[in-house]
Amino acid sequence: MTANLFTPYQLNETLTLQNRILMAPLTRCMADNDLVPTQQMADYYARRAQAGLIISEAVIIRPDGQGYPNTPGLFTPEQIKGWRVVTDAVHQQGGKIFAQLWHTGRVAHPHFFGGDSGEGDVLSASDVAIEGSVPRMRELTYQTPTPASIAQINQLIADYAQAAANAIDAGFDGVEIHGANGYLIDQFLHYDSNRRQDEYGQTPENMSRFALEVVDAITSRIGADRTALRLSPGAYFNMQVDARDRDVFDYLLDQLASRKLAFLHVGIFDDAMQFEHLGGRASDYMRKQYPHTLVGVGSFSAQTGSEAIANNRFDLLAIGRPFIANPDYVEKVQSGAELVEYSETMLAELV
Ligand code: FNR
């Protein structure tokens, strides 16, 4: 019933996946205090190497991108070395792994990067703060971000490209740029968070500029065949919907169509969600606007994901929470074995 999930899929001339099941990026906050991946993380990923492709938990490109405790980085030699242990372990088991490159923008908190004073600048497209506090750290309320200057934008782009090069040095098969879920790149793509008056704001072309510059800097460094991008046109997380966002994503997806990326990936928790400004599901909208490989995700079972692929709604299926609960997810689905149900208590431990 799910046989189409177990057919190989050629992303491009460089990369062919052994099946169509991806492990979705899942932040676990288990790196050490220098944001270096641990041996435990290597074991965790190696146990899931049967996935056609693992996308790592989001990895911060530089210190001021950090918004949660113990999220791993890719900007120091020790972090690169730590990731090398992870990628070797996955490759030894016959798997493939991309690094998800992350800057949280206005979701960052100087508690994590401001040194002893715990103070520092949080960068975003504009000076629009999100409400609330860092999850499980209630004393850390979000601060009003500083709109990135042109010089700061150029530095961010350079730092994304360097992190991508570091990912290749660390043995990753490629990178997925985290352009989704209300983080830095997404903050430029929505009217709610982008109030800029310069060439990075006000029009779809301008609001897409930062995302496209990051994509172009990374692809010229490591190749488009090893570069993917996650986007959430629905603005469902840390972001307010504005119907005009649709025009931004229409423009952006059109521009991306000619860039020969490895794939685009929908950023969403439940793909049944309907968005009025997109005319329905985020995945269906992206499928319509973008003619190449699309990864669907969001509360799918192997069965419903397989049906979606059969109906040509997307090409590859990413699985998140069930992969936390079942390290042997691929084998279990293939053999028809019963799955362990995910629960949030599983996040306390890396198994
Ligand atoms: C996530 N998700 C996520 N997305 C992302 O782009 N980068 C990340 O680091 C994370 N981290 C993360 C942690 C945890 C604990 C959860 C539950 C989710 C979203 C994830 O990739 C996926 O889109 C959703 O989990 C929906 O897929 P499932 O779980 O329904 O298969």
Side-chain angles (χ1 to χ4, degrees):
M1 303 276 273
T2 57
N4 60 355
L5 297 178
F6 301 97
T7 53
Y9 186 89
Q10 187 173 8
L11 287 175
N12 47 48
E13 282 182 12
T14 316
L15 294 168
T16 298
L17 310 182
Q18 59 186 337
N19 59 57
R20 293 183 185 223
I21 301 174
L22 273 60
M23 178 179 170
L26 295 159
T27 287
R28 300 300 309 267
C29 301
M30 297 282 186
D32 75 13
N33 288 336
D34 296 320
L35 312 188
V36 174
T38 63
Q39 181 62 47
Q40 228 195 349
M41 286 165 64
D43 298 341
Y44 160 86
Y45 282 113
R47 276 195 284 274
R48 290 161 174 83
Q50 287 178 332
L53 178 65
I54 294 171
I55 302 171
S56 79
E57 64 202 280
V59 182
I60 57 171
I61 61 160
R62 61 185 217 180
D64 71 351
Q66 189 177 355
Y68 307 89
N70 297 92
T71 52
L74 249 176
F75 52 88
T76 70
E78 291 72 29
Q79 291 162 359
I80 296 170
K81 232 167 92 186
W83 279 116
R84 170 59 79 172
V85 177
V86 175
T87 61
D88 280 350
V90 169
H91 290 149
Q92 243 161 40
Q93 297 299 315
K96 286 194 165 61
I97 181 167
F98 272 30
Q100 193 190 45
L101 301 183
W102 196 26
H103 189 298
T104 65
R106 65 178 180 169
V107 188
H109 199 288
H111 167 79
F112 300 116
F113 59 85
D116 289 340
S117 73
E119 290 169 22
D121 261 3
V122 167
L123 293 181
S124 182
S126 296
D127 55 353
V128 186
I130 53 167
E131 286 188 10
S133 55
V134 179
R136 280 167 284 155
M137 302 182 83
R138 262 200 224 142
E139 72 281 12
L140 301 179
T141 52
Y142 290 115
Q143 70 182 47
T144 301
T146 304
S149 67
I150 299 296
Q152 285 171 324
I153 286 176
N154 289 334
Q155 189 61 52
L156 281 162
I157 294 164
D159 291 340
Y160 270 104
Q162 184 59 49
N166 293 348
I168 298 303
D169 280 352
F172 282 101
D173 298 283
V175 304
E176 175 178 279
I177 302 164
H178 196 344
N181 299 357
Y183 297 113
L184 180 64
I185 292 172
D186 207 24
Q187 288 157 30
F188 280 82
L189 295 172
H190 295 270
Y191 283 89
D192 171 51
S193 47
N194 185 343
R195 316 268 172 94
R196 299 179 73 97
Q197 305 290 318
D198 64 1
E199 65 263 42
Y200 288 92
Q202 284 186 308
T203 67
E205 187 179 349
N206 286 348
M207 291 167 71
S208 300
R209 191 179 311 282
F210 180 60
L212 290 169
E213 286 179 342
V214 170
V215 166
D216 291 343
I218 289 179
T219 56
S220 62
R221 196 76 171 260
I222 68 165
D225 49 346
R226 296 193 184 276
T227 305
L229 175 63
R230 194 170 210 198
L231 292 172
S232 48
Y236 73 106
F237 190 61
N238 279 335
M239 196 73 86
Q240 299 295 318
V241 176
D242 183 310
R244 293 172 296 168
D245 292 348
R246 163 72 185 257
D247 303 330
V248 179
F249 282 89
D250 282 356
Y251 175 83
L252 176 62
L253 290 167
D254 185 56
Q255 291 292 308
L256 289 168
S258 59
R259 278 174 164 80
K260 297 195 161 59
L261 298 181
F263 56 85
L264 284 196
H265 185 179
V266 184
I268 192 86
F269 266 75
D270 180 354
D271 194 46
M273 279 180 83
Q274 300 277 329
F275 297 96
E276 206 176 312
H277 68 297
L278 303 179
R281 290 182 288 226
S283 59
D284 292 341
Y285 164 74
M286 284 172 74
R287 187 60 151 184
K288 216 162 62 202
Q289 302 293 325
Y290 182 77
H292 307 299
T293 301
L294 183 67
V295 180
V297 71
S299 304
F300 284 99
S301 65
Q303 187 61 48
T304 58
S306 161
E307 280 163 19
I309 289 175
N311 292 330
N312 200 29
R313 289 185 43 211
F314 44 79
D315 307 290
L316 299 164
L317 172 69
I319 292 289
R321 289 162 290 188
F323 241 126
I324 292 177
N326 302 273
D328 50 354
Y329 181 85
V330 171
E331 199 175 297
K332 276 184 171 169
V333 168
Q334 198 162 18
S335 67
E338 203 168 319
L339 294 172
V340 174
E341 198 173 333
Y342 168 81
S343 98
E344 269 185 25
T345 59
M346 292 174 181
L347 294 180
E349 227 187 330
L350 213 54
V351 179

